[in-house]
Amino acid sequence: MMNRQSSSHHGARVSARPVRPPRERGTWKAFALAALMHVLLGILLYHGVNWQNNTPAGAEAELWTDIPDVSAPTPRPVPPPAPPIKVQPAPPPAKDEEADIALQEKKRKQQEAAARAAQLAEQQRAQQLADQEAEAKRQQQLAAQQAAQQAALAAQKAAQDKQKQADKQKQLAQQKLDQQKAQQAKEKEADAAKAAEQQKEAQEKAQEQADAKAKAQADAKAKAKAQADAQAKAKLDKERSARLAALQGQAGGGTSESGEGLAKSGTGRGAGGTATSAGYAEKVQRRVRPNIRWGGETAGLETVISVRVSPATGTLLSASIQRSSGNDQWDQAALRAVQLSDPMPLDINGQAPPTFTITMRPAGG
């Protein structure tokens, strides 16, 4: 009972202590003390059994009393009181008894020592069990803490992964938005370029229309002037023809060795024994005028072109500049116009003069 109470009290005292990890160095010491307690307990049990087998010496005493006679029914007088019983004093203890008492005292002390050793061993065992339980609890707490840390780390990693995924999606969305903006900017630039091109085409078309209109007006004006010039020259040619006819009539007929034809582009003069008609110069004008390509100045330019043709067909045999205007570009343009007019027209007699000159002036000159 005392051991249990001590164990309970010790357990309560141990439970009141703060939990601490076991000390590895005291394990072997605890095992050694437990083994020592078991050896002492065995020795005490052995001596206790031997002590109980020895018969202790006891004291002897004699008791004397009267035995009543119950054989006769007749009453007897009351006897006087018996004298007091004398108890002989016990003899003094012998030396064996003193040895037994000393042995008992020694055994008692040994039992108390064994009890204290057993109590100490029980306390140590309880302490060891408490330490083991505390270690197990600490291990459980440590495992729980590790599990909590791992769970926290896993949650943190999951949150980081989720944040990375969100950042990646945000980056992809931003890239897509940037691409859309770039595409829109490119399309806007393309639309602007297309609009500029269309505007440029419209301006060019308007300029072409303006140029065509101006050219048409200039052509109409030139045509009107050419018609007026042609009419004036025709009138002048008619008057000259009339004068030539009058002169020929006065000279008694004959054939003129030379003929003159006045045209807008110049004067055609034939030679070689064949007279030209009054309208041959106008024929040469209609043939040469469309081939003139000139856009420069017109004032004071006059070039004389010497022409040699085949009389039967009017095929141009040669053309050269007889008198320059002083402007080489206009001279070359006039010469090209004559060259492009091959063959030359035939006169009313079915032949062309073999040689003649053409005086070239630009329109408006």
Side-chain angles (χ1 to χ4, degrees):
M1 177 66 69
M2 183 178 65
N3 292 337
R4 291 181 180 177
Q5 291 178 356
S6 298
S7 300
S8 300
H9 179 70
H10 180 69
R13 186 177 62 186
V14 170
S15 62
R17 293 180 181 178
V19 178
R20 58 184 181 180
R23 293 171 295 180
E24 299 294 337
R25 295 181 179 180
T27 304
W28 294 104
K29 185 177 180 181
F31 282 122
L33 290 174
L36 178 60
M37 291 300 103
H38 282 82
V39 172
L40 293 176
L41 182 60
I43 294 172
L44 290 175
L45 290 175
Y46 175 74
H47 287 285
V49 171
N50 291 334
W51 176 71
Q52 290 179 1
N53 291 333
N54 295 327
T55 303
E60 295 181 0
E62 293 183 1
L63 297 177
W64 301 90
T65 183
D66 292 335
I67 299 173
D69 188 7
V70 293
S71 61
T74 58
R76 289 184 176 184
V78 177
I85 301 173
K86 296 180 179 181
V87 179
Q88 296 180 358
K95 292 182 179 181
D96 293 336
E97 292 178 357
E98 293 178 357
D100 291 337
I101 293 171
L103 181 60
Q104 289 178 3
E105 183 66 22
K106 183 178 181 180
K107 289 182 178 180
R108 185 180 63 79
K109 291 181 179 180
Q110 291 178 352
Q111 289 177 354
E112 291 178 356
R116 286 196 299 271
Q119 183 179 1
L120 181 60
E122 183 67 21
Q123 291 178 357
Q124 290 180 353
R125 188 177 66 82
Q127 179 67 29
Q128 184 178 3
L129 291 175
D131 293 341
Q132 290 179 356
E133 291 178 356
E135 177 64 18
K137 188 175 181 181
R138 190 184 70 83
Q139 292 293 337
Q140 290 178 357
Q141 291 178 354
L142 183 60
Q145 290 178 358
Q146 290 179 354
Q149 290 178 357
Q150 291 179 357
L153 290 175
Q156 184 178 3
K157 185 177 181 182
Q160 290 178 355
D161 294 339
K162 187 175 181 180
Q163 184 65 30
K164 287 181 180 179
Q165 186 70 21
D167 294 340
K168 186 176 181 181
Q169 290 179 357
K170 186 177 180 181
Q171 185 178 4
L172 292 175
Q174 185 65 32
Q175 290 179 356
K176 187 175 181 181
L177 182 61
D178 294 339
Q179 291 178 357
Q180 290 179 355
K181 288 183 179 180
Q183 184 67 24
Q184 290 176 358
K186 187 181 291 184
E187 291 178 356
K188 189 175 181 180
E189 290 178 358
D191 294 339
K194 186 177 181 180
E197 185 68 22
Q198 290 177 354
Q199 185 177 2
K200 184 178 180 181
E201 291 179 356
Q203 291 177 354
E204 290 178 353
K205 188 175 181 180
Q207 186 66 30
E208 289 177 357
Q209 290 177 355
D211 293 342
K213 186 176 181 181
K215 185 178 180 181
Q217 291 177 355
D219 292 342
K221 186 177 180 181
K223 186 176 181 181
K225 185 177 180 181
Q227 289 179 355
D229 292 341
Q231 290 176 0
K233 288 180 179 180
K235 183 177 180 181
L236 183 60
D237 290 341
K238 186 176 181 180
E239 291 176 356
R240 285 183 179 181
S241 297
R243 287 198 300 270
L244 287 174
L247 290 174
Q248 288 177 0
Q250 292 176 2
T255 303
S256 175
E257 294 182 356
S258 64
E260 292 182 354
L262 187 62
K264 183 177 180 182
S265 61
T267 301
R269 182 186 302 271
T274 302
T276 59
S277 64
Y280 186 72
E282 187 176 354
K283 290 182 179 181
V284 173
Q285 172 197 355
R286 288 198 299 267
R287 177 63 61 86
V288 177
R289 172 58 61 182
N291 296 324
I292 296 176
R293 301 289 184 270
W294 179 248
E297 60 180 6
T298 60
L301 297 179
E302 181 178 292
T303 304
V304 177
I305 306 298
S306 176
V307 179
R308 189 169 65 88
V309 299
S310 173
T313 59
T315 301
L316 184 64
L317 299 178
S318 66
S320 60
I321 298 174
Q322 184 175 348
R323 187 176 72 245
S324 174
S325 64
N327 189 328
D328 185 64
Q329 294 181 353
W330 161 248
D331 293 341
Q332 295 300 322
L335 181 60
R336 282 195 300 273
V338 173
Q339 292 173 349
L340 292 173
S341 301
D342 183 31
M344 288 296 174
L346 299 178
D347 201 355
I348 56 177
N349 58 0
Q351 290 185 351
T355 59
F356 57 91
T357 58
I358 303 175
T359 301
M360 303 290 293
R361 301 185 186 92

